[in-house]
Amino acid sequence: MADYKELADLIFPKVKKISYYEEKYPQRNLKEGAIVTRFAPSPTGFVHIGGLYQSLLAKKLTEQTEGVFFLRIEDTDQKREVENGIIGIVNALRDFVILPDEGMISETKEKGNYGPYKQSLRKEIYQAYAKYLIEQGKAYPCFCTPEDLDAIRAKQEAAKIRPGYYGVWAKCRNYTVEEMIEKIKNGESYIIRFKSLGREDRKIKHHDLIKGNIDFPENDQDIVIIKADGLPTYHFAHSVDDHLMRTTLVIRGDEWLSSIPLHLQLFHELGFKAPKYAHIAPIMKNDNGNKRKLSKRKDAEAAVSYYEEEGIPAEAVKEYLLNIANSNFENWRRANLNKSIDEFELQLNKMSVSRCLIRYDKIIRCRKNSYIKNDGRKSIRGSF
Ligand code: GLU
């Protein structure tokens, strides 16, 4: 009788064993409490001020704890990639002096021992871990065509039930291993899905370093982990990469908060220790009395390049971003007029849970108040 191992070998005949990668990327030898974190943008457009904010917080926390800040390029959605996307990200971090200790330093070059730091170069690593899941019956090939998936969606909509590929809807999870092998040998195309044992009517508890304690329903969706092009989805790449790069804290936008049940489940099923998470509220602006998210299309100030064009020094922008991150920054600045922001102690538990309001008029004032220090460094004084 065929077993999962045979299926896994048929799907991924050439990949290495995961023990190879576990040894290649050992635990980091850092002092206790050191934070390892990252900025993990997709090169799909201009660098958004929210991305800069995120990387500034990440960099500061690693400096405060003698940890490691790295830049990982998440380019697994190659259709959405833009020309010069990577270099735009690298240059923005350089211009704002938020320098990664590891990761991509140009379009093609990188530094550090935990790479490659560009996901499209890590294909075999993801496949090794997908194979490991298939061997244990925790992932399987799905042969559903786009038409099959449309038909499932239409039925769910008509019956007003929760959409997705789960439970009775996840029909490919019920094939026997022999049937799966036969379909593959017959040349049917497939992708790889995670086989969730989660149940929507059960809850998990999560503690977020910014949002606090939250209960979520378990994840029961059999999500795609390896796509038809052999590359992973964001969710799978997140768990494999942040495990192998030995990330201890994930700081990211709160649009990912709802993925927590899935991410914790993936870490658990892969046998990894999950990192801590801090989900940042979006940067909002006051638009004639209405508070709304900064829009990539409508708001010029959403792009980091805008500030330089307006003559606002990088340090003034960073100063302002710290001001919206921690409300005690303003008092600290008043009491420490000549200190560098490097000396300010950022605290995640002082971050706003629901929104970070950008006051454009205040940033503009930074420009007016900026001055050149004796040592030639641009700085600002008492701007807020
Ligand atoms: N590539 C994802 C994004 O740009 C990264 C999210 C994360 O930091 O994990 O939103």
Side-chain angles (χ1 to χ4, degrees):
M1 218 177 62
D3 61 10
Y4 291 129
K5 170 104 184 44
E6 204 176 321
L7 175 66
D9 283 339
L10 177 66
I11 297 178
F12 297 118
K14 288 203 194 91
V15 299
K16 295 193 172 66
K17 285 210 169 4
I18 65 162
S19 54
Y20 169 83
Y21 297 109
E22 296 295 327
E23 272 164 40
K24 183 168 177 198
Y25 306 109
Q27 290 296 342
R28 292 168 183 271
N29 199 1
L30 297 169
K31 86 168 212 227
E32 209 180 316
I35 290 176
V36 179
T37 190
R38 78 295 192 280
F39 179 39
S42 303
T44 51
F46 64 74
V47 182
H48 192 277
I49 187 76
L52 192 76
Y53 183 48
Q54 198 181 317
S55 44
L56 172 65
L57 303 181
K59 172 79 184 174
K60 250 192 120 15
L61 290 171
T62 56
E63 277 179 346
Q64 285 172 197
T65 59
E66 295 175 36
V68 178
F69 168 60
F70 64 87
L71 172 63
R72 180 172 72 226
I73 297 295
E74 304 216 323
D75 60 343
T76 56
D77 192 352
Q78 302 200 312
K79 283 189 273 325
R80 290 182 55 224
E81 197 165 332
V82 296
E83 210 179 318
N84 297 325
I86 299 178
I87 206 69
I89 296 164
V90 169
N91 289 348
L93 293 185
R94 190 201 54 211
D95 293 348
F96 283 87
V97 202
I98 303 176
L99 302 174
D101 304 304
E102 289 175 13
M104 300 307 292
I105 50 171
S106 79
E107 185 89 39
T108 49
K109 289 205 193 82
E110 60 174 39
K111 61 173 181 179
N113 297 329
Y114 288 79
Y117 294 89
K118 185 153 91 162
Q119 289 184 329
S120 56
L121 301 177
R122 300 174 62 79
K123 204 168 177 171
E124 288 151 37
I125 305 181
Y126 305 119
Q127 295 187 351
Y129 283 86
K131 180 172 184 178
Y132 172 68
L133 288 180
I134 297 171
E135 282 168 351
Q136 299 167 77
K138 293 180 177 178
Y140 63 91
C142 170
F143 305 91
C144 285
T145 61
E147 294 73 37
D148 293 333
L149 298 177
D150 284 347
I152 294 176
R153 202 169 306 124
K155 277 194 203 147
Q156 290 169 333
E157 258 170 41
K160 295 199 169 38
I161 45 183
R162 205 158 46 86
Y165 202 84
Y166 62 95
V168 292
W169 303 99
K171 72 169 197 208
C172 288
R173 60 150 62 192
N174 295 323
Y175 288 127
T176 62
V177 175
E178 283 79 12
E179 285 167 330
M180 292 179 191
I181 291 178
E182 194 185 318
K183 281 172 167 295
I184 293 172
K185 288 192 172 156
N186 285 343
E188 281 191 45
S189 47
Y190 59 91
I191 46 94
I192 308 295
R193 285 186 188 272
F194 171 62
K195 188 170 180 176
S196 172
L197 298 180
R199 275 183 24 194
E200 228 254 340
D201 58 352
R202 282 196 308 229
K203 293 256 186 292
I204 59 152
K205 289 192 181 308
H206 167 65
H207 178 73
D208 190 273
L209 296 188
I210 295 178
K211 305 275 180 185
N213 292 332
I214 312 174
D215 284 357
F216 290 97
E218 285 182 1
N219 170 64
D220 65 352
Q221 302 275 343
D222 284 3
I223 61 128
V224 177
I225 56 172
I226 302 285
K227 302 179 290 179
D229 59 6
L231 284 168
T233 51
Y234 163 70
H235 305 294
F236 192 56
H238 156 52
S239 49
V240 172
D241 288 350
D242 283 314
H243 165 68
L244 289 179
M245 295 178 181
R246 309 296 172 182
T247 302
T248 62
L249 170 66
V250 170
I251 306 174
R252 61 183 180 188
D254 68 2
E255 67 274 22
W256 296 111
L257 185 61
S258 59
S259 302
I260 276 291
L262 167 63
H263 293 169
L264 294 180
Q265 188 185 25
L266 284 171
F267 273 90
H268 181 76
E269 295 302 331
L270 283 158
F272 304 158
K273 179 171 186 269
K276 294 199 164 89
Y277 288 89
H279 286 93
I280 310 174
I283 296 191
M284 317 270 271
K285 75 181 269 184
N286 201 335
D287 190 6
N288 292 323
N290 291 326
K291 296 189 178 66
R292 63 165 177 83
K293 264 195 194 183
L294 269 190
S295 145
K296 271 198 168 190
R297 266 184 311 112
K298 282 193 258 168
D299 305 309
E301 69 269 34
V304 296
S305 54
Y306 173 81
Y307 300 90
E308 203 198 342
E309 285 154 21
E310 285 295 302
I312 302 168
E315 272 179 77
V317 177
K318 290 204 298 194
E319 176 110 3
Y320 184 71
L321 291 176
L322 286 179
N323 196 278
I324 58 176
N326 275 185
S327 55
N328 57 324
F329 180 83
E330 196 160 349
N331 284 339
W332 177 85
R333 173 47 84 211
R334 279 205 197 96
N336 300 284
L337 288 181
N338 291 317
K339 281 198 178 152
S340 150
I341 53 171
D342 296 345
E343 291 181 54
F344 175 71
E345 174 98 10
L346 176 78
Q347 283 172 279
L348 284 180
N349 60 7
K350 289 209 166 78
M351 302 260 314
S352 162
V353 170
S354 56
R355 63 164 182 250
C356 305
L357 197 60
I358 199 155
R359 287 275 310 276
Y360 185 61
D361 52 326
K362 283 196 172 187
I363 298 194
I364 287 291
R365 227 183 308 148
C366 293
R367 174 175 53 179
K368 297 206 187 102
N369 291 352
S370 67
Y371 72 104
I372 309 288
K373 278 191 186 168
N374 293 342
D375 63 3
R377 253 181 346 124
K378 273 187 186 162
S379 187
I380 57 169
R381 191 198 291 261
S383 344
F384 302 108

